[in-house]
C-alpha cells in the first residue's frame, strides 16, 4: 500500500480508436501488449532495454496529463525535439486526486527547459552557470513540492552516484509529503527506493518485477563482484556480454 493516496492510479490504452497498430508507437512490442496499467506505489519506475519504449510511454503519459513533451510544467510549451507521438491521444488516465504541482523532466534535454524558462523570465534562472547535474538537482529541489506529480526520464543521466543518492533522499521527502513519481530509468541505485513499483517493459509487455530479481540489480551485482570475468568474455568477442552467471538459454 502506498503511504498516501496516489494522484494517478491507472493508465489505459484505448485501442478501438487506434488506426494503425503496425506503426510507431503502437508497434513497439511493450506498447502493443498494453491495455491497462495499475499504479500501486507513490514511486513507480519503468525499466527495460534501450528502445523498449520507456521514453515513449512516459512522454505520452505526460502529454495525456497536459504536460509539455519536452519537459517542464503545465504552462510551459515550446517546440519539441521528438515528434509528438499519437499515443497520448489514446491514453485514458485515471485520477484519484488532482496534483497541486506537476513537472516532466527529461535529463537529456534539461538545458532546453532551463533555457525556455530563462527566456520566459520564470523563476528557474541561473542554471547555465551550474553544471548539468547541479542544475538538474536544484531544479528538483527548488520546484518539486508536496502533493505533486512528477515524471522523470532517466534522471541518472545528469547525476553522479552521490547525486543519485541525493535524489533518493528528495524522493523520500516528497513521498512523505504526498507526491507521486513516474520515472524511466536504467539505474539500479534509483530502483532500490524502498516500496517502489518497478514495471519492466519488454517484448512480452509491461509487468511488475521485484528489485532483487531485476536485470539491473543482478547484472550490476555480478559485474561489481568480478569485473574481470566480464572483460574476459567481452574482449574475446563473446556476443553475450552478460557474463557467465547471467546467460540465458
Ligand atoms: N519519433 C519516432 N518515430 C519512430 N520510431 C521512434 C520514434 N521515437 C522512438 N522510436 C522508436 O521507438 C522505440 C522506443 O523508443 P524509446 O525512446 O521510447 O525507448 P526507451 O525505452 O526510452 O530507450 P532508452 O533506454 O534508450 O532511452 C525505439 O525502437 C525507437 O527507435
Ligand atoms: Mg528513453
Amino acid at each position: 500500500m502506498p503511504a498516501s493516496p496516489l494522484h494517478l492510479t491507472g493508465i489505459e490504452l484505448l485501442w478501438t480508436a487506434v488506426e494503425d497498430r503496425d506503426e510507431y508507437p503502437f508497434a513497439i512490442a511493450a506498447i502493443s501488449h498494453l491495455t491497462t496499467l495499475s499504479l500501486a506505489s507513490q514511486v513507480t519506475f519503468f525499466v527495460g532495454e534501450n528502445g523498449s519504449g520507456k521514453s515513449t510511454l512516459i512522454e505520452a503519459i505526460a502529454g495525456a496529463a497536459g504536460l509539455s513533451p519536452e519537459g517542464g510544467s503545465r504552462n510551459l510549451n515550446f517546440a519539441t525535439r521528438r515528434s509528438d507521438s499519437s499515443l497520448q491521444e489514446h491514453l485514458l488516465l485515471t485520477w484519484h486526486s488532482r496534483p497541486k504541482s506537476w513537472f516532466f523532466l527529461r535529463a537529456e534535454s534539461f538545458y532546453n527547459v532551463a533555457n525556455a524558462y530563462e527566456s520566459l523570465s520564470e523563476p528557474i534562472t541561473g542554471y547555465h552557470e551550474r553544471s548539468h547535474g547541479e542544475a538538474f538537482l536544484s531544479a528538483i529541489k527548488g520546484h518539486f513540492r508536496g502533493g505533486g506529480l512528477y515524471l522523470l526520464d532517466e534522471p541518472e543521466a545528469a547525476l553522479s552516484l552521490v547525486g543519485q543518492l541525493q535524489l533518493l533522499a528528495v524522493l523520500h521527502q516528497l513521498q512523505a509529503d504526498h507526491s507521486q513519481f513516474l520515472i524511466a530509468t536504467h539505474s539500479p541505485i534509483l530502483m532500490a527506493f524502498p516500496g517502489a513499483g518497478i514495471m519492466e517493459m519488454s517484448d512480452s509487455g509491461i509487468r511488475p518485477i521485484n528489485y532483487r530479481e531485476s536485470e539491473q540489480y543482478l547484472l550490476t551485482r555480478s559485474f561489481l563482484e568480478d569485473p574481470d570475468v566480464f572483460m574476459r568474455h567481452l574482449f574475446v568477442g563473446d556476443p553475450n556480454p552478460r557474463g557467465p552467471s547471467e546467460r540465458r538459454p
Side-chain angles (χ1 to χ4, degrees):
M1 274 296 288
S4 58
L6 304 177
H7 299 293
L8 181 62
T9 55
I11 298 153
E12 186 176 354
L13 177 42
L14 303 171
W15 282 100
T16 44
V18 173
E19 280 176 14
D20 200 344
R21 293 172 178 232
D22 299 327
E23 290 209 351
Y24 173 84
F26 303 101
I28 296 171
I31 306 280
S32 71
H33 290 101
L34 174 61
T35 50
T36 59
L37 201 59
S38 293
L39 300 173
S41 309
Q42 277 176 270
V43 177
T44 303
F45 292 108
F46 291 91
V47 305
E49 282 302 328
N50 293 124
S52 57
K54 303 179 297 298
S55 296
T56 301
L57 179 62
I58 211 148
E59 276 170 22
I61 297 169
L67 296 165
S68 159
E70 188 72 4
S73 65
R74 259 176 101 88
N75 54 13
L76 182 66
N77 281 302
F78 52 95
T80 62
R81 173 186 62 82
R82 187 191 282 251
S83 58
D84 281 16
S85 94
S86 53
L87 180 57
Q88 69 184 59
E89 292 155 25
H90 300 279
L91 287 188
L92 182 66
L93 304 183
T94 311
W95 300 94
H96 175 261
S97 59
R98 188 182 165 77
K100 288 189 207 148
S101 150
W102 320 55
F103 225 97
F104 171 39
L105 264 196
R106 176 210 295 282
E108 79 186 11
S109 64
F110 173 68
Y111 263 35
N112 298 348
V113 179
N115 260 329
Y117 269 106
E118 288 196 345
S119 65
L120 290 170
S121 309
E122 289 267 340
I124 294 187
T125 52
Y127 281 152
H128 292 87
E129 291 82 58
R130 298 183 221 180
S131 81
H132 188 198
E134 287 168 341
F136 188 74
L137 263 182
S138 73
I140 290 176
K141 287 177 181 167
H143 291 269
F144 286 17
R145 316 225 174 280
L149 174 67
Y150 301 111
L151 282 71
L152 307 177
D153 193 357
E154 292 194 36
E156 71 271 17
L159 300 172
S160 68
L161 291 183
V162 171
Q164 291 185 50
L165 299 178
Q166 289 177 2
L167 178 57
L168 287 173
V170 173
L171 292 182
H172 179 70
Q173 190 192 339
L174 286 168
Q175 172 180 265
D177 215 2
H178 314 299
S179 282
Q180 181 179 0
F181 291 85
L182 303 185
I183 305 175
T185 192
H186 293 290
S187 167
I189 296 191
L190 295 182
M191 286 166 65
F193 188 78
I198 303 177
M199 300 282 180
E200 184 180 56
M201 300 185 64
S202 71
D203 287 356
S204 52
I206 307 177
R207 66 182 181 104
I209 56 167
N210 294 323
Y211 177 58
R212 284 187 169 73
E213 288 163 11
S214 70
E215 180 172 89
Q216 291 76 7
Y217 172 83
L218 292 170
L219 192 53
T220 305
R221 195 183 64 172
S222 346
F223 181 84
L224 293 177
E225 273 169 5
D226 195 351
D228 289 345
V229 172
F230 284 78
M231 301 306 165
R232 277 200 295 277
H233 284 270
L234 288 166
F235 296 169
V236 295
D238 187 331
N240 184 344
R242 294 173 196 283
S245 61
E246 295 296 329
R247 280 172 190 277
R248 287 181 178 169

